[in-house]
Coordinates of all heavy atoms in Angstrom, one line a residue:
T260 N 0.8 -1.2 0.0 CA 0.0 0.0 0.0 C 0.9 1.3 0.0 O 0.3 2.3 -0.4 CB -0.9 0.0 1.2 OG1 -0.2 -0.1 2.4 CG2 -1.9 -1.1 1.2
T261 N 2.1 1.2 0.4 CA 3.0 2.3 0.5 C 4.0 2.4 -0.7 O 4.5 3.5 -1.0 CB 3.8 2.3 1.8 OG1 4.8 1.2 1.7 CG2 3.0 2.2 3.0
G262 N 4.2 1.3 -1.4 CA 5.2 1.3 -2.5 C 6.6 1.1 -1.9 O 7.5 1.1 -2.7
K263 N 6.8 1.0 -0.6 CA 8.1 0.8 -0.1 C 8.5 -0.6 -0.3 O 7.7 -1.5 -0.3 CB 8.1 1.1 1.4 CG 7.9 2.6 1.7 CD 8.0 2.8 3.2 CE 7.7 4.3 3.5 NZ 7.7 4.6 5.0
P264 N 9.8 -0.9 -0.5 CA 10.3 -2.3 -0.6 C 9.8 -3.2 0.6 O 10.0 -2.8 1.7 CB 11.8 -2.2 -0.7 CG 12.1 -0.8 -1.1 CD 10.9 0.0 -0.5
A265 N 9.3 -4.3 0.3 CA 8.9 -5.3 1.3 C 10.1 -6.1 1.8 O 10.2 -6.5 2.9 CB 7.8 -6.2 0.8
W266 N 11.0 -6.4 0.8 CA 12.2 -7.1 1.2 C 13.2 -7.0 0.0 O 12.8 -6.6 -1.1 CB 12.0 -8.5 1.5 CG 11.2 -9.3 0.4 CD1 9.8 -9.5 0.4 CD2 11.6 -9.9 -0.8 NE1 9.5 -10.2 -0.7 CE2 10.6 -10.5 -1.5 CE3 12.9 -10.1 -1.3 CZ2 10.7 -11.2 -2.6 CZ3 13.1 -10.8 -2.5 CH2 11.9 -11.3 -3.2
T267 N 14.4 -7.2 0.2 CA 15.5 -7.3 -0.8 C 16.3 -8.6 -0.6 O 16.3 -9.1 0.5 CB 16.4 -6.1 -0.8 OG1 17.1 -6.1 0.4 CG2 15.7 -4.8 -1.1
K268 N 16.9 -9.1 -1.6 CA 17.7 -10.3 -1.5 C 18.9 -10.2 -2.4 O 18.9 -9.8 -3.6 CB 16.9 -11.5 -2.0 CG 17.5 -12.9 -1.8 CD 17.4 -13.3 -0.4 CE 17.8 -14.7 -0.2 NZ 17.7 -15.0 1.2
E269 N 20.1 -10.5 -1.9 CA 21.3 -10.5 -2.6 C 21.9 -11.9 -2.7 O 21.9 -12.6 -1.6 CB 22.4 -9.6 -2.0 CG 22.1 -8.1 -2.1 CD 23.2 -7.2 -1.6 OE1 24.3 -7.6 -1.7 OE2 22.9 -6.1 -1.2
L270 N 22.3 -12.3 -3.8 CA 22.8 -13.7 -4.0 C 24.1 -13.6 -4.8 O 24.2 -12.8 -5.8 CB 21.9 -14.5 -4.8 CG 20.5 -14.7 -4.2 CD1 19.5 -15.2 -5.2 CD2 20.6 -15.7 -3.0
P271 N 25.2 -14.3 -4.5 CA 26.4 -14.3 -5.2 C 26.2 -14.9 -6.6 O 25.5 -15.9 -6.7 CB 27.4 -15.1 -4.4 CG 26.5 -16.0 -3.6 CD 25.2 -15.3 -3.3
A272 N 26.9 -14.4 -7.6 CA 26.8 -14.9 -9.0 C 27.8 -16.1 -9.1 O 28.9 -16.0 -8.7 CB 27.2 -13.8 -10.0
S273 N 27.3 -17.2 -9.7 CA 28.1 -18.4 -9.9 C 29.1 -18.2 -11.1 O 30.0 -18.9 -11.2 CB 27.3 -19.6 -10.1 OG 26.5 -19.5 -11.2
Q274 N 28.7 -17.3 -12.0 CA 29.6 -17.1 -13.2 C 29.7 -15.5 -13.3 O 28.7 -14.8 -13.3 CB 29.0 -17.6 -14.5 CG 29.8 -17.2 -15.7 CD 29.1 -17.7 -17.0 OE1 29.0 -18.9 -17.2 NE2 28.8 -16.8 -17.9
K275 N 30.9 -15.1 -13.3 CA 31.2 -13.6 -13.5 C 31.8 -13.4 -14.8 O 32.7 -14.2 -15.2 CB 32.0 -13.1 -12.3 CG 31.3 -13.3 -11.0 CD 32.1 -12.8 -9.9 CE 31.2 -13.0 -8.6 NZ 31.9 -12.9 -7.4
G276 N 31.4 -12.4 -15.5 CA 32.0 -12.1 -16.8 C 32.3 -10.6 -16.9 O 31.8 -9.8 -16.2
K277 N 33.1 -10.3 -17.9 CA 33.4 -8.9 -18.2 C 32.3 -8.2 -19.0 O 31.6 -8.8 -19.8 CB 34.7 -8.8 -19.0 CG 35.9 -9.4 -18.3 CD 37.1 -9.3 -19.2 CE 38.3 -9.9 -18.5 NZ 39.5 -9.9 -19.4
N278 N 32.0 -7.0 -18.6 CA 31.0 -6.2 -19.4 C 31.7 -5.8 -20.7 O 32.9 -5.6 -20.8 CB 30.7 -4.9 -18.6 CG 29.7 -5.2 -17.5 OD1 29.0 -6.2 -17.5 ND2 29.7 -4.4 -16.5
N279 N 30.9 -5.6 -21.7 CA 31.3 -5.1 -23.0 C 30.2 -4.2 -23.6 O 29.0 -4.3 -23.1 CB 31.8 -6.2 -23.9 CG 30.7 -7.1 -24.4 OD1 29.7 -6.6 -24.9 ND2 30.8 -8.4 -24.2
P280 N 30.4 -3.4 -24.6 CA 29.4 -2.6 -25.1 C 28.2 -3.3 -25.7 O 27.1 -2.7 -25.9 CB 30.1 -1.8 -26.2 CG 31.6 -1.9 -26.0 CD 31.7 -3.2 -25.2
M281 N 28.4 -4.6 -26.0 CA 27.3 -5.4 -26.6 C 26.4 -6.1 -25.5 O 25.4 -6.7 -25.9 CB 27.9 -6.5 -27.5 CG 28.8 -5.9 -28.6 SD 27.9 -4.9 -29.7 CE 26.9 -6.1 -30.6
M282 N 26.7 -6.0 -24.2 CA 26.0 -6.7 -23.2 C 25.8 -5.8 -22.0 O 26.7 -5.1 -21.5 CB 26.9 -8.0 -22.8 CG 26.3 -8.8 -21.7 SD 27.2 -10.3 -21.4 CE 28.9 -9.8 -21.3
R283 N 24.7 -6.0 -21.4 CA 24.4 -5.3 -20.1 C 24.0 -6.4 -19.1 O 23.6 -7.5 -19.4 CB 23.2 -4.4 -20.2 CG 23.4 -3.2 -21.2 CD 24.5 -2.3 -20.7 NE 24.8 -1.2 -21.6 CZ 25.9 -1.1 -22.2 NH1 26.8 -1.9 -22.1 NH2 26.1 0.0 -23.0
R284 N 24.1 -6.1 -17.8 CA 23.9 -7.0 -16.7 C 22.4 -7.1 -16.2 O 22.2 -7.7 -15.2 CB 24.9 -6.7 -15.6 CG 26.3 -7.0 -15.9 CD 26.6 -8.4 -16.0 NE 27.9 -8.6 -16.5 CZ 28.3 -9.7 -17.2 NH1 27.5 -10.7 -17.4 NH2 29.5 -9.8 -17.5
A285 N 21.5 -6.4 -16.9 CA 20.2 -6.4 -16.4 C 19.6 -7.9 -16.6 O 19.8 -8.5 -17.6 CB 19.3 -5.5 -17.3
A286 N 19.0 -8.3 -15.5 CA 18.5 -9.7 -15.5 C 17.2 -9.8 -16.3 O 16.4 -8.8 -16.5 CB 18.2 -10.1 -14.0
P287 N 17.0 -11.0 -16.9 CA 15.7 -11.2 -17.6 C 14.5 -11.0 -16.6 O 14.7 -11.0 -15.4 CB 15.8 -12.7 -18.0 CG 17.3 -12.9 -18.1 CD 17.9 -12.1 -17.0
T288 N 13.3 -10.9 -17.2 CA 12.1 -10.6 -16.4 C 11.8 -11.9 -15.6 O 11.7 -12.9 -16.1 CB 11.0 -10.3 -17.3 OG1 11.3 -9.1 -18.1 CG2 9.7 -10.0 -16.6
P289 N 11.5 -11.7 -14.3 CA 11.1 -12.9 -13.5 C 9.7 -13.3 -13.8 O 8.9 -12.6 -14.4 CB 11.2 -12.4 -12.0 CG 11.5 -10.9 -12.1 CD 11.7 -10.5 -13.5
V290 N 9.3 -14.5 -13.3 CA 7.9 -15.0 -13.4 C 7.4 -15.3 -12.0 O 8.2 -15.5 -11.1 CB 7.8 -16.3 -14.3 CG1 8.0 -15.9 -15.8 CG2 8.7 -17.4 -13.9
V291 N 6.2 -15.1 -11.8 CA 5.6 -15.3 -10.4 C 4.3 -16.2 -10.5 O 3.6 -16.2 -11.5 CB 5.1 -13.9 -10.0 CG1 4.5 -14.0 -8.6 CG2 6.3 -12.9 -9.9
D292 N 4.2 -17.0 -9.4 CA 3.0 -17.8 -9.3 C 2.5 -17.7 -7.8 O 3.1 -16.9 -7.0 CB 3.1 -19.2 -9.8 CG 4.1 -20.0 -8.9 OD1 4.5 -19.6 -7.9 OD2 4.4 -21.2 -9.3
G293 N 1.6 -18.5 -7.4 CA 1.1 -18.5 -6.1 C 2.1 -18.9 -5.0 O 1.9 -18.5 -3.8
A294 N 3.1 -19.7 -5.4 CA 4.1 -20.1 -4.4 C 5.3 -19.1 -4.2 O 6.0 -19.2 -3.2 CB 4.7 -21.5 -4.8
G295 N 5.5 -18.3 -5.2 CA 6.6 -17.4 -5.1 C 7.1 -16.8 -6.5 O 6.3 -16.7 -7.4
L296 N 8.3 -16.4 -6.5 CA 8.8 -15.9 -7.8 C 10.1 -16.7 -8.2 O 10.8 -17.2 -7.4 CB 9.1 -14.4 -7.7 CG 10.2 -13.9 -6.8 CD1 10.8 -12.7 -7.4 CD2 9.5 -13.5 -5.5
Y297 N 10.3 -16.7 -9.5 CA 11.4 -17.4 -10.1 C 12.2 -16.4 -11.0 O 11.6 -15.8 -11.8 CB 10.9 -18.6 -11.0 CG 9.9 -19.4 -10.2 CD1 8.6 -19.1 -10.2 CD2 10.3 -20.5 -9.5 CE1 7.7 -19.9 -9.4 CE2 9.5 -21.3 -8.7 CZ 8.1 -20.9 -8.7 OH 7.2 -21.7 -8.0
V298 N 13.5 -16.4 -10.7 CA 14.3 -15.4 -11.4 C 15.5 -16.1 -12.1 O 15.9 -17.2 -11.7 CB 14.9 -14.3 -10.5 CG1 13.7 -13.4 -10.0 CG2 15.6 -14.8 -9.3
F299 N 16.0 -15.5 -13.2 CA 17.1 -16.0 -13.9 C 18.0 -14.9 -14.2 O 17.6 -13.8 -14.7 CB 16.6 -16.7 -15.3 CG 17.8 -17.3 -16.1 CD1 18.6 -18.3 -15.5 CD2 18.1 -16.8 -17.3 CE1 19.6 -18.8 -16.3 CE2 19.1 -17.3 -18.0 CZ 19.9 -18.3 -17.5
F300 N 19.3 -15.1 -13.9 CA 20.3 -14.0 -14.0 C 21.3 -14.3 -15.1 O 21.6 -15.4 -15.5 CB 21.0 -13.8 -12.6 CG 20.1 -13.4 -11.5 CD1 19.6 -14.3 -10.6 CD2 19.8 -12.0 -11.4 CE1 18.8 -13.8 -9.6 CE2 19.0 -11.6 -10.4 CZ 18.5 -12.5 -9.4
E301 N 21.9 -13.2 -15.5 CA 23.0 -13.2 -16.5 C 24.1 -14.2 -16.1 O 24.7 -14.8 -17.0 CB 23.6 -11.9 -16.7 CG 24.7 -11.7 -17.7 CD 24.2 -11.7 -19.1 OE1 23.1 -11.2 -19.3 OE2 24.9 -12.2 -20.0
S302 N 24.3 -14.5 -14.9 CA 25.3 -15.4 -14.4 C 25.0 -16.9 -14.7 O 25.8 -17.8 -14.6 CB 25.5 -15.3 -12.9 OG 24.3 -15.6 -12.3
G303 N 23.7 -17.1 -15.1 CA 23.3 -18.5 -15.3 C 22.5 -19.1 -14.1 O 22.2 -20.2 -14.1
D304 N 22.4 -18.3 -13.0 CA 21.7 -18.7 -11.8 C 20.2 -18.6 -12.0 O 19.7 -17.5 -12.3 CB 22.2 -17.9 -10.6 CG 23.7 -18.0 -10.4 OD1 24.2 -19.2 -10.4 OD2 24.4 -17.0 -10.2
A305 N 19.5 -19.7 -11.7 CA 18.0 -19.7 -11.6 C 17.7 -19.9 -10.1 O 18.3 -20.7 -9.5 CB 17.5 -20.9 -12.4
V306 N 16.8 -19.1 -9.7 CA 16.5 -19.0 -8.2 C 15.0 -18.9 -8.0 O 14.3 -18.2 -8.8 CB 17.2 -17.7 -7.6 CG1 16.9 -17.6 -6.1 CG2 18.7 -17.7 -7.8
A307 N 14.5 -19.7 -7.0 CA 13.1 -19.6 -6.6 C 13.1 -19.0 -5.2 O 13.8 -19.4 -4.3 CB 12.5 -21.0 -6.6
L308 N 12.2 -18.0 -5.0 CA 12.1 -17.3 -3.7 C 10.6 -17.4 -3.4 O 9.7 -17.4 -4.2 CB 12.5 -15.8 -3.9 CG 13.9 -15.6 -4.2 CD1 14.1 -14.1 -4.6 CD2 14.9 -16.0 -3.1
S309 N 10.3 -17.4 -2.1 CA 9.0 -17.3 -1.6 C 8.5 -15.8 -1.7 O 9.3 -14.9 -2.0 CB 8.9 -17.7 -0.1 OG 9.5 -16.7 0.7
H310 N 7.2 -15.6 -1.6 CA 6.8 -14.2 -1.7 C 7.3 -13.3 -0.5 O 7.3 -12.1 -0.6 CB 5.2 -14.2 -1.6 CG 4.6 -14.6 -2.9 ND1 4.7 -13.9 -4.1 CD2 4.0 -15.8 -3.2 CE1 4.1 -14.5 -5.1 NE2 3.6 -15.7 -4.6
A311 N 7.8 -13.9 0.5 CA 8.5 -13.2 1.6 C 10.0 -13.0 1.4 O 10.7 -12.4 2.2 CB 8.2 -14.0 2.9
G312 N 10.5 -13.5 0.3 CA 11.9 -13.3 -0.1 C 12.8 -14.4 0.4 O 14.0 -14.3 0.3
E313 N 12.3 -15.5 0.9 CA 13.1 -16.6 1.4 C 13.5 -17.5 0.3 O 12.7 -17.8 -0.6 CB 12.3 -17.4 2.5 CG 11.9 -16.6 3.7 CD 10.7 -17.2 4.5 OE1 10.0 -18.0 3.9 OE2 10.6 -16.9 5.6
L314 N 14.8 -17.9 0.3 CA 15.3 -18.8 -0.8 C 14.6 -20.2 -0.7 O 14.6 -20.8 0.4 CB 16.8 -18.9 -0.6 CG 17.5 -19.8 -1.7 CD1 17.4 -19.1 -3.1 CD2 18.9 -20.0 -1.3
R315 N 14.0 -20.6 -1.8 CA 13.4 -21.9 -1.8 C 14.4 -22.9 -2.5 O 14.5 -24.0 -2.0 CB 12.1 -21.9 -2.6 CG 11.0 -21.1 -1.9 CD 9.7 -20.9 -2.7 NE 9.3 -22.1 -3.3 CZ 8.7 -22.1 -4.5 NH1 8.5 -20.9 -5.2 NH2 8.3 -23.2 -5.1
W316 N 15.0 -22.5 -3.6 CA 16.0 -23.3 -4.3 C 16.8 -22.5 -5.2 O 16.3 -21.4 -5.6 CB 15.4 -24.6 -5.0 CG 14.4 -24.4 -6.0 CD1 13.0 -24.5 -5.8 CD2 14.5 -23.9 -7.4 NE1 12.3 -24.3 -6.9 CE2 13.2 -23.9 -7.9 CE3 15.6 -23.6 -8.2 CZ2 13.0 -23.5 -9.3 CZ3 15.4 -23.2 -9.5 CH2 14.1 -23.2 -10.0
E317 N 18.0 -22.9 -5.6 CA 18.8 -22.3 -6.6 C 19.5 -23.3 -7.4 O 19.8 -24.4 -6.9 CB 19.7 -21.3 -6.0 CG 20.7 -21.8 -5.0 CD 21.6 -20.7 -4.3 OE1 22.0 -19.8 -5.0 OE2 21.8 -20.9 -3.1
R318 N 19.8 -22.9 -8.6 CA 20.6 -23.8 -9.5 C 21.4 -23.0 -10.5 O 20.9 -22.0 -11.0 CB 19.6 -24.7 -10.3 CG 20.2 -25.6 -11.3 CD 19.5 -26.9 -11.4 NE 20.1 -27.7 -12.4 CZ 19.5 -28.6 -13.1 NH1 18.2 -28.8 -13.0 NH2 20.1 -29.3 -14.0
S319 N 22.6 -23.4 -10.7 CA 23.5 -22.7 -11.7 C 23.5 -23.5 -13.0 O 24.2 -24.5 -13.1 CB 24.9 -22.6 -11.1 OG 25.8 -22.1 -12.0
L320 N 22.9 -22.9 -14.0 CA 22.9 -23.5 -15.3 C 24.3 -23.4 -15.9 O 24.8 -24.3 -16.6 CB 21.9 -22.9 -16.2 CG 20.5 -23.0 -15.8 CD1 19.6 -22.4 -16.8 CD2 20.1 -24.4 -15.5
S321 N 25.1 -22.4 -15.6 CA 26.5 -22.3 -16.1 C 27.4 -23.3 -15.5 O 28.3 -23.8 -16.2 CB 27.0 -20.9 -15.9 OG 27.0 -20.5 -14.6
K322 N 27.1 -23.7 -14.3 CA 28.0 -24.8 -13.7 C 27.5 -26.1 -14.2 O 28.3 -27.0 -14.5 CB 27.8 -24.8 -12.1 CG 28.6 -23.7 -11.5 CD 28.5 -23.8 -10.0 CE 29.4 -22.7 -9.3 NZ 29.3 -22.8 -7.8
D323 N 26.2 -26.3 -14.4 CA 25.7 -27.6 -14.8 C 26.0 -27.9 -16.3 O 26.2 -29.0 -16.7 CB 24.1 -27.7 -14.7 CG 23.7 -27.7 -13.2 OD1 24.6 -28.0 -12.4 OD2 22.5 -27.5 -12.9
Y324 N 25.9 -26.9 -17.2 CA 26.0 -27.1 -18.6 C 27.2 -26.3 -19.2 O 27.4 -26.4 -20.4 CB 24.7 -26.6 -19.3 CG 23.5 -27.4 -18.8 CD1 22.6 -26.8 -17.9 CD2 23.3 -28.7 -19.3 CE1 21.5 -27.6 -17.5 CE2 22.2 -29.4 -18.9 CZ 21.3 -28.8 -17.9 OH 20.2 -29.6 -17.5
G325 N 28.0 -25.6 -18.5 CA 29.1 -24.8 -19.0 C 28.9 -23.3 -19.1 O 27.7 -22.9 -19.2
A326 N 29.9 -22.6 -19.0 CA 29.9 -21.1 -19.1 C 29.2 -20.7 -20.4 O 29.5 -21.3 -21.4 CB 31.3 -20.5 -18.9
F327 N 28.5 -19.6 -20.3 CA 27.9 -19.0 -21.5 C 29.0 -18.4 -22.3 O 29.9 -17.8 -21.8 CB 26.9 -17.9 -21.1 CG 25.7 -18.5 -20.3 CD1 25.0 -17.6 -19.5 CD2 25.4 -19.8 -20.2 CE1 23.9 -18.0 -18.7 CE2 24.3 -20.2 -19.5 CZ 23.6 -19.4 -18.7
K328 N 28.8 -18.6 -23.6 CA 29.8 -18.0 -24.6 C 29.1 -17.2 -25.6 O 28.9 -17.5 -26.8 CB 30.5 -19.2 -25.3 CG 31.3 -20.1 -24.4 CD 31.9 -21.3 -25.1 CE 32.6 -22.2 -24.2 NZ 31.8 -23.4 -23.9
N329 N 28.6 -16.1 -25.1 CA 27.8 -15.2 -26.0 C 28.2 -13.8 -25.7 O 28.1 -13.3 -24.6 CB 26.3 -15.4 -25.6 CG 25.4 -14.7 -26.6 OD1 25.7 -13.6 -27.1 ND2 24.2 -15.3 -26.8
N330 N 28.6 -13.0 -26.7 CA 29.0 -11.6 -26.6 C 27.8 -10.7 -26.3 O 28.0 -9.5 -26.0 CB 29.8 -11.2 -27.8 CG 31.1 -11.8 -27.9 OD1 31.7 -12.2 -26.9 ND2 31.6 -12.0 -29.1
H331 N 26.6 -11.2 -26.4 CA 25.4 -10.3 -26.3 C 24.7 -10.5 -25.0 O 23.7 -9.9 -24.8 CB 24.5 -10.4 -27.5 CG 25.2 -10.1 -28.8 ND1 25.4 -8.7 -29.1 CD2 25.6 -10.8 -29.8 CE1 26.0 -8.7 -30.3 NE2 26.2 -10.0 -30.7
G332 N 25.1 -11.4 -24.2 CA 24.5 -11.7 -22.9 C 23.2 -12.5 -23.1 O 22.8 -12.9 -24.2
V333 N 22.5 -12.7 -22.0 CA 21.3 -13.6 -22.0 C 20.1 -12.7 -22.5 O 20.0 -11.6 -22.0 CB 21.0 -14.1 -20.6 CG1 19.7 -14.8 -20.5 CG2 22.1 -15.0 -20.1
G334 N 19.4 -13.2 -23.4 CA 18.3 -12.4 -24.0 C 16.9 -12.9 -23.7 O 16.0 -12.3 -24.1
S335 N 16.8 -14.1 -23.1 CA 15.5 -14.6 -22.9 C 15.1 -14.6 -21.4 O 15.9 -14.7 -20.5 CB 15.5 -16.1 -23.4 OG 16.4 -16.9 -22.7
S336 N 13.8 -14.4 -21.2 CA 13.3 -14.4 -19.9 C 12.6 -15.8 -19.7 O 12.2 -16.5 -20.6 CB 12.2 -13.4 -19.7 OG 12.8 -12.1 -19.8
P337 N 12.6 -16.3 -18.4 CA 12.0 -17.6 -18.2 C 10.4 -17.6 -18.5 O 9.8 -16.5 -18.4 CB 12.2 -17.8 -16.7 CG 12.5 -16.5 -16.1 CD 13.1 -15.6 -17.2
A338 N 9.9 -18.7 -18.8 CA 8.5 -18.9 -19.0 C 8.1 -20.0 -17.9 O 9.0 -20.6 -17.3 CB 8.2 -19.4 -20.4
Q339 N 6.8 -20.2 -17.7 CA 6.5 -21.2 -16.7 C 5.2 -22.0 -17.1 O 4.4 -21.5 -17.9 CB 6.3 -20.5 -15.4 CG 5.1 -19.6 -15.3 CD 4.9 -19.0 -13.9 OE1 5.1 -19.6 -12.9 NE2 4.5 -17.7 -13.9
T340 N 5.1 -23.2 -16.6 CA 3.9 -24.0 -16.6 C 3.5 -24.1 -15.1 O 4.1 -23.6 -14.2 CB 4.2 -25.4 -17.2 OG1 5.0 -26.1 -16.4 CG2 4.8 -25.2 -18.6
D341 N 2.5 -24.9 -14.8 CA 2.1 -25.2 -13.5 C 3.2 -25.8 -12.7 O 3.3 -25.6 -11.5 CB 0.9 -26.0 -13.4 CG -0.4 -25.3 -13.9 OD1 -0.4 -24.1 -13.9 OD2 -1.4 -26.0 -14.2
K342 N 4.1 -26.7 -13.4 CA 5.1 -27.5 -12.7 C 6.5 -27.1 -12.9 O 7.4 -27.6 -12.2 CB 4.8 -28.9 -13.0 CG 3.5 -29.5 -12.6 CD 3.3 -30.9 -12.9 CE 2.0 -31.4 -12.5 NZ 1.8 -32.8 -12.7
A343 N 6.8 -26.3 -13.9 CA 8.2 -26.0 -14.3 C 8.4 -24.5 -14.7 O 7.5 -23.8 -15.1 CB 8.5 -26.9 -15.5
V344 N 9.7 -24.2 -14.5 CA 10.2 -22.9 -15.0 C 11.0 -23.3 -16.2 O 11.9 -24.1 -16.1 CB 11.0 -22.2 -13.9 CG1 11.6 -20.9 -14.5 CG2 10.2 -21.9 -12.7
V345 N 10.8 -22.7 -17.4 CA 11.5 -23.0 -18.6 C 12.4 -21.9 -19.0 O 12.0 -20.7 -19.0 CB 10.4 -23.3 -19.7 CG1 11.1 -23.7 -21.0 CG2 9.4 -24.3 -19.3
V346 N 13.7 -22.2 -19.2 CA 14.7 -21.2 -19.6 C 15.3 -21.7 -20.9 O 15.8 -22.8 -21.1 CB 15.8 -21.1 -18.5 CG1 16.8 -20.1 -18.8 CG2 15.1 -20.8 -17.1
L347 N 15.5 -20.7 -21.8 CA 16.2 -20.9 -23.1 C 17.5 -20.3 -23.0 O 17.7 -19.1 -22.6 CB 15.4 -20.2 -24.2 CG 16.1 -20.1 -25.6 CD1 16.3 -21.5 -26.2 CD2 15.4 -19.2 -26.5
I348 N 18.6 -21.1 -23.3 CA 19.9 -20.5 -23.5 C 20.3 -20.6 -24.9 O 20.5 -21.7 -25.5 CB 20.9 -21.3 -22.6 CG1 20.5 -21.3 -21.1 CG2 22.3 -20.8 -22.8 CD1 20.4 -19.9 -20.5
D349 N 20.4 -19.5 -25.6 CA 20.8 -19.4 -27.0 C 22.2 -18.9 -27.0 O 22.4 -17.7 -26.7 CB 19.8 -18.4 -27.7 CG 20.0 -18.4 -29.2 OD1 20.8 -19.3 -29.7 OD2 19.5 -17.5 -29.9
D350 N 23.1 -19.7 -27.3 CA 24.5 -19.5 -27.1 C 25.3 -19.8 -28.3 O 24.9 -20.6 -29.2 CB 25.0 -20.3 -25.9 CG 26.2 -19.7 -25.2 OD1 26.6 -18.6 -25.5 OD2 26.7 -20.4 -24.3
T351 N 26.6 -19.3 -28.4 CA 27.4 -19.7 -29.5 C 28.0 -21.0 -29.3 O 28.4 -21.7 -30.2 CB 28.6 -18.7 -29.7 OG1 29.3 -18.5 -28.4 CG2 28.1 -17.3 -30.1
G352 N 28.0 -21.5 -28.0 CA 28.3 -22.9 -27.7 C 27.0 -23.7 -27.9 O 26.2 -23.4 -28.7
A353 N 26.9 -24.7 -27.1 CA 25.6 -25.5 -27.2 C 24.5 -24.7 -26.7 O 24.5 -24.2 -25.6 CB 25.8 -26.8 -26.4
S354 N 23.4 -24.6 -27.5 CA 22.2 -23.9 -27.0 C 21.2 -25.0 -26.5 O 21.3 -26.2 -26.9 CB 21.5 -23.2 -28.2 OG 22.3 -22.2 -28.7
Y355 N 20.4 -24.6 -25.5 CA 19.5 -25.6 -24.9 C 18.3 -24.9 -24.3 O 18.3 -23.8 -24.1 CB 20.2 -26.5 -23.9 CG 20.9 -25.7 -22.8 CD1 20.2 -25.4 -21.6 CD2 22.2 -25.3 -22.9 CE1 20.8 -24.7 -20.6 CE2 22.8 -24.6 -21.9 CZ 22.1 -24.3 -20.7 OH 22.7 -23.6 -19.7
L356 N 17.3 -25.8 -24.1 CA 16.1 -25.4 -23.4 C 15.9 -26.3 -22.2 O 16.1 -27.5 -22.3 CB 14.9 -25.6 -24.3 CG 13.5 -25.1 -23.9 CD1 13.4 -23.6 -23.7 CD2 12.4 -25.6 -24.9
V357 N 15.7 -25.8 -21.0 CA 15.7 -26.6 -19.8 C 14.4 -26.2 -19.0 O 14.0 -25.1 -19.0 CB 16.9 -26.4 -18.9 CG1 17.1 -25.0 -18.4 CG2 17.0 -27.4 -17.8
A358 N 13.7 -27.3 -18.5 CA 12.6 -27.1 -17.7 C 13.0 -27.5 -16.3 O 13.4 -28.6 -16.0 CB 11.4 -27.9 -18.2
L359 N 12.9 -26.5 -15.3 CA 13.3 -26.8 -13.9 C 12.0 -27.0 -13.1 O 11.1 -26.2 -13.1 CB 14.1 -25.6 -13.4 CG 15.2 -25.1 -14.2 CD1 15.8 -23.8 -13.7 CD2 16.3 -26.2 -14.2
D360 N 12.0 -28.1 -12.4 CA 10.9 -28.5 -11.5 C 10.7 -27.4 -10.5 O 11.6 -27.1 -9.7 CB 11.1 -29.8 -10.9 CG 10.0 -30.4 -10.1 OD1 9.0 -29.6 -9.9 OD2 10.1 -31.5 -9.6
K361 N 9.5 -26.8 -10.4 CA 9.3 -25.7 -9.4 C 9.4 -26.2 -8.0 O 9.7 -25.5 -7.1 CB 7.9 -25.1 -9.6 CG 7.8 -24.2 -10.8 CD 6.4 -23.6 -10.9 CE 6.3 -22.6 -11.9 NZ 4.9 -22.0 -12.0

């Protein structure tokens, strides 16, 4: 009702890269459902938080599948179904689509 932040959360990045003029560090748009929110970061980290900001789970796609090799950064936002968060990695290396169990 006030517009003031209800909570904030900081998480360390599992993959750190250099900035360049072709890439910005803005994270893709999160998705939300009744259980919480799901975010995906430039580092390759996928994170689920409760509506109160508590960490539910986290997963590093860059650790699981290899560092991103793209000069333009991550360009896709996650999508969701009732049971999964879906993330597209379009890369100069191996590209893939992964569905993460909520």
Side-chain angles (χ1 to χ4, degrees):
T260 59
T261 66
K263 292 181 182 178
W266 53 266
T267 62
K268 187 77 171 178
E269 289 187 31
L270 300 162
S273 63
Q274 173 183 301
K275 297 179 180 162
K277 296 178 182 178
N278 284 334
N279 68 55
M281 302 298 286
M282 175 174 52
R283 299 290 180 250
R284 294 289 173 203
T288 304
V290 292
V291 179
D292 68 8
L296 65 146
Y297 308 88
V298 294
F299 180 63
F300 295 101
E301 181 76 33
S302 62
D304 298 313
V306 179
L308 300 166
S309 71
H310 287 289
E313 298 160 339
L314 183 66
R315 293 174 45 216
W316 56 260
E317 62 185 320
R318 180 144 177 211
S319 171
L320 299 184
S321 58
K322 284 184 179 178
D323 291 347
Y324 299 103
F327 300 158
K328 299 176 183 105
N329 187 326
N330 289 333
H331 299 287
V333 173
S335 61
S336 293
Q339 66 177 324
T340 68
D341 290 342
K342 296 180 181 184
V344 177
V345 182
V346 180
L347 169 68
I348 301 301
D349 187 12
D350 205 6
T351 56
S354 297
Y355 56 91
L356 184 66
V357 62
L359 305 172
D360 186 355
K361 286 183 173 181

